[in-house]
Amino acid sequence: MSIRTDSRVIRRKKMNPEYVSRLKRYYRIQDAFIQKKASYTPLIIEIEPTTSCQLDCIFCPRDAIRRKSGTLLKQVFTRVLDNLGPPHEAGMLLFSGFGEPLLNKNLDDLVDYAKRQGWFCGLTTNGMAFSPSLAGRLIDAGLDVLQISLHAASASVYQQLVKKGSFIQIQEIIQSLIPLCRERIVLALNYTITHWNQKETGSFAGYWKKQGVPCINFAGCHNRGGFYQDFSCAKKAEPLITSQKCWVFKNICYVTWEGRLLACCHDITGETELGNLVLTPLEEIRIKTLSPLPGIAFTMCSRCNFSFR
């Protein structure tokens, strides 16, 4: 199942114009995934604040990461932003990746710096490390979009999917964030559909809509570039001959905590490294990798079944 956003109604009453602008921009970015279209490339710059995570989700292969682990430092981040060039009016800088971004203690400072450079900033998190003070700092820093990953509507299913963490605690955290985010930053919940939780999608959407969450996104489980091997959840893919045929390759740039540019956000080995954004401008790297048209062949492309590839 492809990503969808359940709530598209902007209320008729007067709303904060800045919030409405953020919401519309987020909708356009989500629609680009669904339709595999974008007004320019790259659509999203995804940057990895850390490779650490305090949870152990059953469908995440992060424990198999074979590239170096670490945490994004501000001096690396500033060089990366310099070499990314000016932010585009339609795209997003997304703090996400194979780690939990909130475990980077300087995340609010990174968001603040990016906002001062003109970036539209999003964050994808499991939410468990949120505190009122951290939420306040991120909001004050100017965060535009907050996506919280929660894949269950009941404690029993949550415990099947997440070996660590507390369903009651994350529910309470999200409920505390709703009034803080309201008409300030876009709050979204991301739900990965598996055979464990597929019967709970309706109750999940119904509950959180009533709580006041404006955006609820569903996506089918996939094999994360072939690194997640439970094929009862993620069907075997038809091979892609080259990355040049992949929508993700053309529209999303993945930057590791070291500043290395990978061709794919699902690369846990580092095999798809295209260059280093601490040392080389993005434009220069992409000229080399997007031309000539035949593209680049990566082993993981032939294993991948990501819906938006």
Side-chain angles (χ1 to χ4, degrees), residues 105-122:
K105 302 302 182 183
N106 298 313
L107 183 62
D108 56 318
D109 193 28
L110 301 182
V111 171
D112 178 72
Y113 182 82
K115 289 299 298 179
R116 285 189 280 111
Q117 305 306 308
W119 288 90
F120 183 78
C121 292

Side-chain angles (χ1 to χ4, degrees), residues 42 45 67 84 242-244 246 248-256 259-265 267 269-291 295-298 300-301:
I45 305 289
R67 52 184 172 83
L84 284 174
T242 71
S243 60
Q244 191 67 37
C246 179
V248 175
F249 174 70
K250 293 180 180 179
N251 292 278
I252 301 176
C253 288
Y254 189 89
V255 186
T256 74
R260 298 162 62 197
L261 177 64
L262 304 183
C264 184
C265 52
D267 183 2
T269 65
E271 72 170 90
T272 68
E273 182 174 351
L274 304 176
N276 192 315
L277 283 166
V278 177
L279 305 173
T280 310
L282 174 63
E283 183 177 2
E284 183 178 328
I285 295 173
R286 288 181 72 82
I287 287 173
K288 292 178 180 178
T289 56
L290 291 179
S291 297
I296 306 168
F298 297 115
M300 60 182 288
C301 294

Side-chain angles (χ1 to χ4, degrees), residues 79-99:
R79 286 292 299 147
V80 167
L81 286 195
D82 287 345
N83 280 324
L84 284 174
H88 194 281
E89 61 182 15
M92 176 165 63
L93 182 71
L94 179 64
F95 295 93
S96 185
F98 272 105

Side-chain angles (χ1 to χ4, degrees), residues 2 15 28 49 113 132 213 228 250 267 299 301:
S2 61
M15 297 177 69
R28 286 195 296 270
Y113 182 82
V213 176
Y228 175 59
K250 293 180 180 179
D267 183 2
T299 302
C301 294

Side-chain angles (χ1 to χ4, degrees), residues 106-255:
N106 298 313
L107 183 62
D108 56 318
D109 193 28
L110 301 182
V111 171
D112 178 72
Y113 182 82
K115 289 299 298 179
R116 285 189 280 111
Q117 305 306 308
W119 288 90
F120 183 78
C121 292
L123 166 65
T124 301
T125 170
N126 62 45
M128 291 299 297
F130 261 121
S131 65
S133 61
L134 176 55
R137 292 198 304 274
L138 286 169
I139 291 171
D140 289 343
L143 186 69
D144 296 289
V145 175
L146 172 58
Q147 299 183 137
I148 299 178
S149 298
L150 177 60
H151 315 289
S154 64
S156 59
V157 172
Y158 178 86
Q159 292 306 141
Q160 286 182 287
L161 295 170
V162 184
K163 297 177 184 178
K164 302 175 184 177
S166 164
F167 181 71
I168 293 175
Q169 184 180 351
I170 188 58
Q171 275 199 317
E172 291 175 347
I173 288 172
I174 295 171
Q175 287 167 343
S176 72
L177 287 169
I178 292 170
L180 290 175
C181 295
R182 186 173 290 122
E183 293 199 24
R184 298 183 70 181
I185 66 176
V186 178
L187 177 62
L189 297 182
N190 290 345
Y191 187 110
T192 299
I193 300 173
T194 68
H195 58 243
W196 294 285
N197 65 5
Q198 60 187 353
K199 294 181 179 179
E200 292 196 337
T201 55
S203 57
F204 181 90
Y207 176 81
W208 287 112
K209 279 192 206 177
K210 288 180 181 178
Q211 298 300 310
V213 176
C215 304
I216 302 173
N217 305 320
F218 292 96
C221 184
H222 59 93
N223 66 16
R224 305 298 289 270
F227 295 108
Y228 175 59
Q229 294 294 327
D230 184 349
F231 290 109
S232 62
C233 267
K235 295 179 182 179
K236 189 173 182 180
E238 292 297 323
L240 284 178
I241 303 303
T242 71
S243 60
Q244 191 67 37
K245 295 184 179 181
C246 179
W247 186 91
V248 175
F249 174 70
K250 293 180 180 179
N251 292 278
I252 301 176
C253 288
Y254 189 89
V255 186

